[in-house]
Amino acid sequence: MAGWLDRRSTPLLLGLAAGLFAVAAGLLAGADAAGRAGLAARWTARAGLPLFLVAFLASTLVRRWPGPATRALLRRRRQWGLGFALAHTIHLVALGINVTVFAPGRSWQSLLGGGLAYVLIYLMALTSTDRWQRRLGRWWGRLHRFGIHYIWFIFTASYAGRALGADPGKRATGLILGSIMIAALALRLWPRRRMVQ
Ligand code: HEM
């Protein structure tokens, strides 16, 4: 298991497979063209979430549960981030079709908030090499720390909106996945506080 997790290609293949599977499931499940595009957009966002959580929690998992599998996740954290960027690129294509063809008129706040997340996702992906880490110095850590927390915020805000929104069909998803996001942040912050004491 740890050997498979330690392969550089594993996160990228999982990101690609999850994104494509989500598109295929959306196309099969939707009742009409608009429904298919909506489901593809929704499910491609969901497909990227586990990969994001691995990158977000890799160092926390090693601190709390050190072992071969968690160390392999940490060693490949950059690849998990790239796998997430790949899955979310598929979300970008699906939502592009959704927003321009079937459901135009999204608020400028959501376009700005989601758009900035994409800028950060691609900046982080482009600078995810040792060379860029050396070139950017302290700014590398600042960019990646801010970026990962901002992406966390967009996921959490999207699910909180669904949990509290008017559509009862989306409430359970919002509640479950929103709670998972909040638990992930708590897990990430908690050991650090304990280590400071
Ligand atoms: C300008 C950029 C973006 C636009 C226009 C956009 C648009 C969309 C659309 C049309 C849906 C489907 C809505 C539905 O049927 O309920 C969706 C779902 C979603 N998007 Fe995006 N999105 C953007 C960026 C992002 C980013 C960067 C993230 C995460 C970091 C994200 C997270 C989500 C989540 C969590 C869902 C709900 C998935 C679920 O139901 O499980 N989106 N988005």
Side-chain angles (χ1 to χ4, degrees):
M1 176 72 171
W4 178 73
L5 285 177
D6 213 358
R7 275 194 218 140
R8 277 171 175 270
S9 53
T10 299
L12 293 167
L13 289 175
L14 284 179
L16 184 66
L20 293 180
F21 180 77
V23 171
L27 295 182
L28 286 174
D32 53 16
R36 284 192 280 273
L39 286 179
R42 199 183 305 164
W43 289 346
T44 47
R46 214 173 286 182
L49 184 59
L51 291 114
F52 170 78
L53 284 175
V54 174
F56 187 68
L57 290 175
S59 62
T60 306
L61 295 177
V62 168
R63 265 202 308 269
R64 286 180 63 85
W65 296 286
T70 50
R71 282 199 197 94
L73 290 181
L74 182 59
R75 252 193 313 278
R76 298 291 165 226
R77 181 166 54 178
R78 288 181 188 181
Q79 280 76 33
W80 286 101
L82 290 173
F84 163 69
L86 186 57
H88 237 60
T89 299
I90 299 174
H91 179 56
L92 184 62
V93 175
L95 71 87
I97 296 171
N98 192 283
V99 166
T100 51
V101 182
F102 296 108
R106 291 185 84 81
S107 73
W108 65 267
Q109 289 96 328
S110 77
L111 289 179
L112 197 71
L116 177 60
Y118 271 110
V119 170
L120 287 165
I121 288 169
Y122 291 124
L123 274 179
M124 289 164 77
L126 285 172
T127 58
S128 69
T129 58
D130 290 341
R131 213 177 102 225
W132 271 106
Q133 191 168 8
R134 277 194 302 275
R135 269 175 94 171
L136 293 180
R138 268 197 291 171
W139 283 100
W140 191 91
R142 286 179 186 151
L143 168 68
H144 284 251
R145 251 193 319 277
F146 175 74
I148 204 145
H149 286 100
Y150 184 78
I151 297 163
W152 173 89
F153 169 74
I154 295 294
F155 266 120
T156 308
S158 305
Y159 284 124
R162 283 162 174 74
L164 305 171
D167 186 344
K170 292 182 180 172
R171 245 176 245 153
T173 309
L175 267 176
I176 295 167
L177 296 178
S179 306
I180 289 177
M181 295 310 292
I182 290 168
L185 183 68
L187 194 65
R188 198 177 139 106
L189 296 178
W190 182 62
R192 228 180 262 171
R193 290 223 181 96
R194 273 186 72 216
M195 284 167 76
V196 169
Q197 280 167 5

